[in-house]
C-alpha cells in the first residue's frame, strides 16, 4: 500500500469527534432508520402520544412483552412465557441489577478472560470481584471454569458470558461446549448471565447457553448492537416470574433500569411489523460489505473473525507495541480499541486491538480509516 499518511496537526489535541472511530462497536448505519423513525413517531402522535408515554412501563406492558417474546423465539427456539420476560433500559441496566442481586460485595463474578469492558466498572461500583476464565477457539474452557469454581468455592456466585459473536474475539461457542458449561454451572450452583446482544447477526447459530440450564440462566438480548443504535432496549428472560420480580421490582423507585416509554413504544411497533426484519437484513448486508473492504485493505485471511461480526480482533504487528500503535493511529486521525480494555486479570497484556467497522458514517470514511490502520500495521 505504502501511501503517505495524513498526519494530524500535533500542535493541537485531536477531539474525539474528529477521529475516524474504530474504538466503539455499533451496527453500521442503516439508511431506512430515519424514515421508519419519522413515520413511527408521526403514528404515535396521531394515536395520543401523551397517553402512550405518560407512565413508566416498569416490566413492560403485555403488548410490549408479546412483541418481545415473538422476536426472542428466533434465538430461543420457542417464545418464552410472558411472565418470565421483561423489558429493560439496555443490557447494562439489566446486568447491574442481576449483579447486585446475585453477587454480593467481595463475592466473585466469573467472566471470559477477555470480556465486555463495561463489566469491569460495574463490578467495581458494586464491590464485586472479577475472575477471568480461560478461553480458546471455542469459547470458555470448561476445565478452567471448573478449576476456578473449585478454587473460589462459594464466593463464585455467577458467570457472565457472551457465547455468540463474543466481544472482542467474535468466536461462537459450539453446542457441545455450551452443554458442558451449563452442567458445570449446575454442579457448582452458578447463576448464568448470558449476553446475546449479537446473537441474531448470524443466519445460523447454536441455541443460547441459557436453553441448556434455564432454571439458573438469565438471557439478555438488546437491540442496539444488532439492529440500530437508536433502540436502547434489552429483553430479559429469567428462570421464573418470581425470580424476575425479586431482581427488578424492588428497585423501580430507586434506579433507572426501566426502559423509557417512548423507546418501548417504538421498539414494540417495529417488532410488530416488518421493520426489525428489514433493519436486520440491512445490517447483515452492510456488515458483509464492510468486512470485504477490511479484508481487502488490511490483507486479512478470509477466516479472520466470524463473517457476521462487524468487529475485528487483530494482532499488533511485530516490532510495535500496542500503546505505540494506538498513539500512531490517533496521530493520523483514527481511534482503535485497546486489547487492555477487554482483559479481566491483566496477567498477560494481549498485544491485540479491536477494529469496530460499524461507526464510520459511510464506506468512504471507513476506507480512509482502514487505509491508515493498514499502513501502520503492514
Amino acid at each position: 500500500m505504502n501511501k503517505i499518511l495524513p498526519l494530524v496537526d500535533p500542535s493541537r489535541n485531536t477531539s474525539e469527534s474528529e477521529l475516524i472511530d474504530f474504538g466503539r462497536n455499533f451496527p453500521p448505519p442503516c439508511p431506512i432508520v430515519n424514515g421508519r423513525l419519522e413515520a413511527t413517531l408521526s403514528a404515535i402522535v396521531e394515536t395520543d402520544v401523551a397517553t402512550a408515554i405518560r407512565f413508566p412501563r416498569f416490566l413492560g406492558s403485555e403488548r410490549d412483552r408479546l412483541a418481545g417474546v415473538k422476536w426472542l423465539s428466533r434465538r430461543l427456539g420457542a417464545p418464552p412465557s410472558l411472565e418470565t420476560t421483561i423489558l429493560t433500559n439496555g443490557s447494562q441496566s439489566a446486568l447491574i441489577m442481576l449483579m447486585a442481586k446475585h453477587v454480593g460485595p467481595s463475592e466473585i463474578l466469573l467472566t471470559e478472560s477477555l470480556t465486555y469492558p463495561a463489566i469491569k466498572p460495574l463490578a467495581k461500583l458494586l464491590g464485586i470481584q472479577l475472575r477471568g476464565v480461560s478461553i480458546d477457539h471455542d469459547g470458555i474452557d470448561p476445565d478452567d471454569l471448573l478449576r476456578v469454581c473449585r478454587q473460589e468455592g462459594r464466593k463464585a456466585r455467577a458467570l457472565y458470558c457472551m457465547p455468540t459473536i463474543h466481544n472482542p474475539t467474535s468466536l461462537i461457542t459450539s453446542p457441545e461446549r455450551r452443554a458442558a458449561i451449563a452442567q458445570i454451572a449446575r454442579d457448582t450452583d452458578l447463576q448464568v448471565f448470558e449476553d446475546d446482544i449479537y446473537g441474531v447477526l448470524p443466519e445460523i447459530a447454536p441455541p443460547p447457553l441459557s436453553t441448556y440450564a434455564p432454571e439458573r440462566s438469565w438471557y439478555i438480548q438488546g437491540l442496539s448492537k444488532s439492529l440500530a443504535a437508536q433502540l436502547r432496549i434489552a429483553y430479559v428472560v429469567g428462570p421464573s416470574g418470581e425470580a424476575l420480580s425479586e431482581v427488578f421490582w424492588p428497585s423501580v423507585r430507586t434506579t433507572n433500569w426501566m426502559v423509557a416509554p417512548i423507546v418501548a413504544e417504538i421498539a414494540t411497533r417495529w417488532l410488530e411489523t416488518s421493520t426489525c426484519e428489514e433493519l436486520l437484513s440491512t445490517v447483515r448486508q452492510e456488515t458483509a460489505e464492510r468486512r470485504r473492504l477490511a479484508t481487502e485493505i488490511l490483507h486479512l485471511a478470509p477466516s479472520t473473525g466470524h463473517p457476521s461480526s462487524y468487529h475485528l480482533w487483530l494482532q499488533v504487528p511485530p516490532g510495535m507495541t500496542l500503546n505505540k500503535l494506538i498513539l500512531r493511529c490517533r496521530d493520523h486521525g483514527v481511534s482503535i480499541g485497546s486489547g487492555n480494555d477487554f482483559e479481566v486479570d491483566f496477567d498477560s497484556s494481549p498485544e491485540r486491538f479491536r477494529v469496530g467497522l460499524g461507526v464510520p458514517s459511510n464506506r468512504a470514511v471507513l476506507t480512509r480509516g482502514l487505509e491508515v490502520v493498514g499502513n501502520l500495521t503492514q
Side-chain angles (χ1 to χ4, degrees), residues 212-293:
Y212 293 86
E215 81 286 352
R216 63 186 56 255
S217 294
W218 301 82
Y219 177 79
I220 307 167
Q221 189 187 123
L223 301 184
S224 66
K225 296 296 181 75
S226 58
L227 301 181
Q230 294 88 346
L231 291 176
R232 184 70 177 180
I233 186 171
Y235 301 86
V236 180
V237 180
S240 67
E242 181 181 2
L244 273 174
S245 293
E246 288 177 357
V247 171
F248 292 98
W249 188 250
S251 300
V252 295
R253 294 183 178 178
T254 56
T255 65
N256 196 33
W257 63 262
M258 301 82 72
V259 66
I262 188 66
V263 177
E265 184 69 20
I266 293 169
T268 294
R269 288 173 182 246
W270 285 8
L271 289 173
E272 289 173 336
T273 62
S274 61
T275 300
C276 278
E277 293 289 350
E278 292 174 317
L279 289 172
L280 179 58
S281 177
T282 302
V283 167
R284 285 172 170 169
Q285 292 170 17
E286 183 63 17
T287 294
E289 180 58 27
R290 292 187 176 214
R291 285 187 62 89
R292 185 192 66 76
L293 286 170

Side-chain angles (χ1 to χ4, degrees), residues 38-271:
E38 289 176 4
T40 303
L41 290 172
S42 295
I44 292 172
V45 170
E46 290 174 1
T47 57
D48 187 2
V49 65
T51 300
I53 65 172
R54 182 182 179 193
F55 297 114
R57 298 201 183 188
F58 296 118
L59 307 180
S61 69
E62 181 175 349
R63 175 169 157 255
D64 293 331
R65 285 178 286 136
L66 278 170
V69 300
K70 182 180 178 182
W71 176 257
L72 296 176
S73 67
R74 67 188 304 135
R75 288 289 292 127
L76 295 172
S81 71
L82 293 187
E83 71 168 6
T84 62
T85 306
I86 64 166
L87 285 67
T88 68
N89 183 35
S91 299
Q92 289 184 29
S93 295
L95 284 166
I96 196 168
M97 299 307 298
L98 289 168
M99 291 163 66
K101 173 64 177 179
H102 288 291
V103 190
S106 299
E107 292 184 329
I108 293 171
L109 174 68
L110 307 178
T111 74
E112 292 107 338
S113 56
L114 296 167
T115 193
Y116 173 43
I119 289 296
K120 293 190 285 185
L122 289 180
K124 184 177 181 180
L125 178 67
L126 296 171
I128 291 171
Q129 299 180 54
L130 294 179
R131 291 288 183 276
V133 179
S134 296
I135 58 175
D136 57 21
H137 67 282
D138 199 9
I140 289 174
D141 178 353
D143 291 337
D144 197 52
L145 175 61
L146 184 57
R147 179 192 66 79
V148 174
C149 287
R150 287 173 173 170
Q151 176 180 297
E152 302 297 348
R154 290 299 301 161
K155 287 186 70 177
R157 303 300 300 155
L159 169 69
Y160 166 77
C161 58
M162 192 179 288
T164 307
I165 309 290
H166 173 255
N167 185 14
T169 66
S170 83
L171 62 84
I172 294 183
T173 300
S174 67
E176 295 76 18
R177 182 70 66 90
R178 293 174 194 238
I181 293 166
Q183 188 57 54
I184 292 170
R186 253 193 211 103
D187 294 342
T188 58
D189 196 25
L190 287 178
Q191 296 290 307
V192 176
F193 308 153
E194 180 177 13
D195 189 345
D196 200 38
I197 199 161
Y198 302 106
V200 299
L201 293 177
E203 294 278 358
I204 300 174
L209 174 59
S210 298
T211 62
Y212 293 86
E215 81 286 352
R216 63 186 56 255
S217 294
W218 301 82
Y219 177 79
I220 307 167
Q221 189 187 123
L223 301 184
S224 66
K225 296 296 181 75
S226 58
L227 301 181
Q230 294 88 346
L231 291 176
R232 184 70 177 180
I233 186 171
Y235 301 86
V236 180
V237 180
S240 67
E242 181 181 2
L244 273 174
S245 293
E246 288 177 357
V247 171
F248 292 98
W249 188 250
S251 300
V252 295
R253 294 183 178 178
T254 56
T255 65
N256 196 33
W257 63 262
M258 301 82 72
V259 66
I262 188 66
V263 177
E265 184 69 20
I266 293 169
T268 294
R269 288 173 182 246
W270 285 8
L271 289 173

Side-chain angles (χ1 to χ4, degrees), residues 298-368:
L298 301 180
H299 302 296
L300 303 176
S303 60
T304 302
H306 193 276
S308 298
S309 170
Y310 50 76
H311 63 261
L312 303 170
W313 184 236
L314 303 177
Q315 186 75 46
V316 174
M320 184 179 292
T321 65
L322 174 61
N323 286 341
K324 184 176 180 180
L325 177 61
I326 291 171
L327 290 174
R328 290 195 66 189
C329 282
R330 189 178 181 90
D331 285 343
H332 293 89
V334 174
S335 68
I336 57 176
S338 170
N340 294 333
D341 293 342
F342 304 92
E343 274 198 298
V344 175
D345 296 323
F346 298 101
D347 290 336
S348 59
S349 225
E351 290 297 291
R352 286 183 172 270
F353 62 101
R354 191 189 69 181
V355 172
L357 302 174
V359 174
S361 57
N362 56 59
R363 294 176 194 173
V365 174
L366 174 74
T367 297
R368 290 202 303 273

